[in-house]
Amino acid sequence: GTSGWVKLSGLTYVGNTYRLGTYRTSSGSIVNVTNISGTTAYYDGGSTAISNLTKVYKVTVNGDTAFGSTPKYYAKGETFTISAAKSGNAVEFDMWETMEGLCSYASKTSSTTTVTVKDSDLVINPSYRGDYILTVTDGSGGGRFKGGNTAKISAFGKPGYEFAGWVIESGEDTIGDPTAVNTTFTIGTSDATVKPVYRPAGELDTTGVTNYALGKSYTSTWGGNSTISYYSTTQDDSSLKKLTDGVKPSANYSTADGCYASFLSSSKVGTFTINLGTSRNIRMVALCGIANNGGSFGDVVPGSVKVEYSTNGSSFTALTISDTILYSYSGGTALGNVYTHRLDFSPVNATHVRVTFTSATYCTSLAEIEVYGGENNGTLTVQNGTGSGTFSVGKITSIKATSPGADYEFKGWTIVSGKGYITDPSAESTTFTVAAGSTTIKANYVLKDEFALVDTITPPFKVDAGDAVIDGMPENNSVKNVKAAFKSSVTIKKPDGTVAADTDFVGTGYTVSGATKTVTVIVSGDLDSDASVSSSDYIVLKKFLTGKVTLNGAYKKASDCDGNANTDTADYITLAKKLKG
């Protein structure tokens, strides 16, 4: 309780390495050194040269399955493994918390990780959260929710397909109406992932066709016996509304309607190839004006129609037809002896279409084959990547993310606006199915280290996210300057939790928060948070050394003025010298 001067002659200096406390002998025994005389350490049951002992610290881990419930002793720099035990049925592991002492974690948010001991006793606890992450693949409504809460989810849609329902890929939660595009999701007791599923549309939009082959002659082979040429009509395609040519014959069929192919053949197998002139998005083929000699049905043998497509005019791939043969219509009304068969399939891009079918016994003519498509083009804009352009609707085109630099890591694709389908949103190089209209997609990147610095402050300070501190912060730095030192956006708060103004100075106890973590500032010697070292700090340190005040956390570290990891009279002397200049 007193202070004053002491005569140093006759005293023995004991270095920082040798101090009272817990040690490990060369045989592995843990002893408590109660006295050090010269270089000899004394403990209950014996004594030895202090150099034969290793300073160790007591480590206690609660709620763990790897470390165990019994405290253990480790030296500075030694590591050990911890693994969190699940706490109850309705919570998930969040992060490890250091209740006492100092240490660093390989990953503070991993349930199993390794810990490196610093120079203090240590108590570690796992913490858990009672809310969960809902991920909606190819849809909206994801986020973090409390267990039991309800989230609204919606499917984005997929061109050429119709919504078939929701599936839960992971988790044990419930969907309000699994058959509705817009529905609800009740959060359970774990993270969950849901996604919409689609099936080929049974009824496709037939709006829009473009006659890119206007004025060209199409040659088709009928049963291998004869060659038939039929020609495009003079329909206007300046508005790009038709893929193929022709006008359906009138309800009262006659040769005056301009039947472009007539036949009566014993083989009864017809193969017709249509050149679209360029790559187009196709959705439907219609066999128009097939008439018979008086039979009510029998113009095309059911199940005999095959539609194939090609991107080069030589290699053809069969399409899966959504309809069964078939029906005859004109605005929903049967056409008497004139039949039109509409064949739907999932959209593809093609330069040529080949139709093959077998005629019934009385089939005598085929007026025309029409190829229908959806809206011609869609515009794709790729942010933070390559692949932008204008494409045929339904085209599957390549996209690739472009990193802004080595300090960043890819965090997946998102659709900013419009519609479409990203094949693998988690892959930097993937494909995109183009939809009608304008679509913008974005490659998302985040800084690998949210506290990465640009070194605008001299001398530079160091961020230790593992220990959640900023060490070596220079004196008298404004909030504005400290913010500018980080590559990402940060928030700086005063010790009382209020947001600091840009003109404030950052002192000990201030906090800097990134996207997911918060670190505490330490300015060596600043014990009153004013960002500078003055006589008031000298007084605080003096009171601490005489037991009149207590310093914890960042303030305790700031009191270590000579950087030897201890606060003692040497720090008092160092601070005094600094004030004297």
Side-chain angles (χ1 to χ4, degrees):
T2 60
S3 61
W5 294 92
V6 62
K7 187 175 182 180
L8 296 178
S9 59
L11 298 180
T12 300
Y13 172 71
V14 180
N16 175 55
T17 304
Y18 308 132
R19 56 187 186 272
L20 304 182
T22 308
Y23 285 78
R24 184 170 57 213
T25 67
S26 56
S27 64
S29 299
I30 303 299
V31 298
N32 183 37
V33 173
T34 56
N35 185 36
I36 299 176
S37 177
T39 59
T40 302
Y42 296 88
Y43 51 87
D44 186 18
S47 63
T48 186
I50 190 68
S51 58
N52 293 333
L53 301 177
T54 301
K55 186 74 178 74
V56 293
Y57 303 94
K58 181 180 179 181
V59 176
T60 303
V61 182
N62 300 310
D64 160 88
T65 60
F67 185 89
S69 58
T70 303
K72 298 180 177 62
Y73 292 87
Y74 292 91
K76 180 178 180 180
E78 292 182 339
T79 62
F80 57 89
T81 298
I82 54 178
S83 184
K86 187 173 178 66
S87 177
N89 296 321
V91 289
E92 292 291 317
F93 174 79
D94 187 23
M95 63 185 296
W96 291 99
E97 294 185 352
T98 306
M99 309 307 293
E100 296 180 19
L102 296 172
C103 66
S104 62
Y105 300 87
S107 174
K108 200 169 186 178
T109 57
S110 297
S111 60
T112 298
T113 188
T114 56
V115 181
T116 301
V117 175
K118 296 280 175 112
D119 50 2
S120 67
D121 291 344
L122 192 60
V123 177
I124 297 174
N125 288 354
S127 64
Y128 298 84
R129 58 181 171 86
D131 53 350
Y132 308 100
I133 296 173
L134 170 62
T135 301
V136 182
T137 305
D138 301 329
S140 62
R144 186 184 288 274
F145 302 91
K146 293 291 183 182
N149 284 5
T150 298
K152 295 180 179 180
I153 60 175
S154 297
F156 285 149
K158 184 178 178 182
Y161 291 79
E162 60 184 0
F163 179 76
W166 292 93
V167 296
I168 298 177
E169 293 189 296
S170 63
E172 300 177 352
D173 312 315
T174 55
I175 298 174
D177 182 357
T179 64
V181 173
N182 301 305
T183 186
T184 59
F185 187 89
T186 302
I187 312 301
T189 60
S190 66
D191 292 343
T193 300
V194 297
K195 76 171 184 177
V197 292
Y198 299 90
R199 57 173 172 261
E203 187 72 18
L204 296 174
D205 182 8
T206 60
T207 302
V209 279
T210 301
N211 181 12
Y212 270 81
L214 186 64
K216 294 186 177 181
S217 171
Y218 308 131
T219 300
S220 301
T221 301
W222 175 246
N225 296 326
S226 61
T227 298
I228 303 170
S229 294
Y230 61 106
Y231 297 87
S232 62
T233 62
T234 57
Q235 289 178 310
D236 178 20
D237 80 334
S238 60
S239 60
L240 303 183
K241 293 297 185 183
K242 286 189 177 294
L243 289 174
T244 57
D245 60 308
V247 177
K248 299 173 186 176
S250 65
N252 297 316
Y253 172 79
S254 72
T255 56
D257 287 317
C259 192
Y260 297 114
S262 298
F263 51 85
L264 180 60
S265 170
S266 59
S267 68
K268 300 183 293 184
V269 177
T271 300
F272 297 82
T273 302
I274 299 173
N275 181 0
L276 299 176
T278 188
S279 178
R280 303 302 301 155
N281 169 254
I282 62 172
R283 290 184 170 189
M284 186 188 79
V285 168
L287 279 62
C288 302
I290 294 182
N292 61 36
N293 286 332
S296 61
F297 190 78
D299 46 5
V300 174
V301 175
S304 70
V305 179
K306 180 170 69 173
V307 180
E308 301 169 283
Y309 74 99
S310 174
T311 57
N312 54 24
S314 59
S315 176
F316 284 81
T317 302
L319 288 163
T320 301
I321 300 172
S322 303
D323 307 280
T324 56
I325 291 291
L326 281 171
Y327 58 88
S328 307
Y329 75 99
S330 175
T333 304
L335 296 179
N337 286 340
V338 181
Y339 294 87
T340 299
H341 300 286
R342 188 170 65 178
L343 310 170
D344 291 323
F345 43 81
S346 298
V348 294
N349 287 293
T351 59
H352 294 73
V353 179
R354 186 164 68 190
V355 181
T356 303
F357 63 88
T358 301
S359 67
T361 302
Y362 301 106
C363 187
T364 60
S365 63
L366 168 66
E368 180 174 277
I369 296 176
E370 294 181 342
V371 181
Y372 288 79
E375 186 176 332
N376 293 329
N377 297 318
T379 300
L380 174 64
T381 301
V382 181
Q383 296 178 349
N384 299 335
T386 59
S388 300
T390 300
F391 307 94
S392 298
V393 172
K395 179 176 177 58
I396 300 175
T397 186
S398 297
I399 56 175
K400 184 177 181 180
T402 302
S403 174
D407 293 334
Y408 295 81
E409 61 179 338
F410 179 70
K411 284 296 183 180
W413 293 91
T414 54
I415 297 179
V416 178
S417 62
K419 294 183 178 180
Y421 178 72
I422 302 171
T423 305
D424 184 357
S426 64
E428 290 187 79
S429 295
T430 184
T431 56
F432 182 82
T433 303
V434 179
S438 298
T439 300
T440 299
I441 61 176
K442 180 181 180 180
N444 300 293
Y445 282 87
V446 297
L447 280 166
K448 295 177 182 177
D449 177 8
E450 62 179 310
F451 293 121
L453 301 172
V454 292
D455 294 333
T456 62
I457 292 179
T458 303
F461 56 82
K462 178 183 178 183
V463 180
D464 187 343
D467 278 350
V469 296
I470 293 180
D471 212 350
M473 174 70 74
E475 294 179 58
N476 300 315
N477 266 290
S478 70
V479 169
K480 182 179 180 180
N481 287 343
V482 174
K483 285 181 177 178
F486 293 91
K487 292 184 178 180
S488 59
S489 176
V490 297
T491 299
I492 299 179
K493 292 183 179 181
K494 299 178 180 180
D496 63 5
T498 59
V499 177
D502 282 353
T503 54
D504 290 334
F505 291 94
V506 179
T508 298
Y510 277 61
T511 59
V512 179
S513 298
T516 62
K517 297 179 181 179
T518 297
V519 293
T520 303
V521 174
I522 298 170
V523 178
S524 180
D526 172 29
L527 305 182
D528 57 5
S529 300
D530 65 355
S532 64
V533 179
S534 64
S535 58
S536 62
D537 301 301
Y538 183 77
I539 294 171
V540 172
L541 181 57
K542 179 179 178 180
K543 288 181 178 180
F544 171 72
L545 293 173
T546 57
K548 294 181 179 179
V549 297
T550 300
L551 295 176
N552 295 311
Y555 299 96
K556 178 67 181 299
K557 292 202 69 173
S559 67
D560 178 22
C561 300
D562 60 3
N564 67 357
N566 289 302
T567 302
D568 49 28
T569 54
D571 299 296
Y572 187 72
I573 295 170
T574 300
L575 187 57
K577 289 181 178 179
K578 184 173 183 178
L579 291 173
K580 291 180 180 179

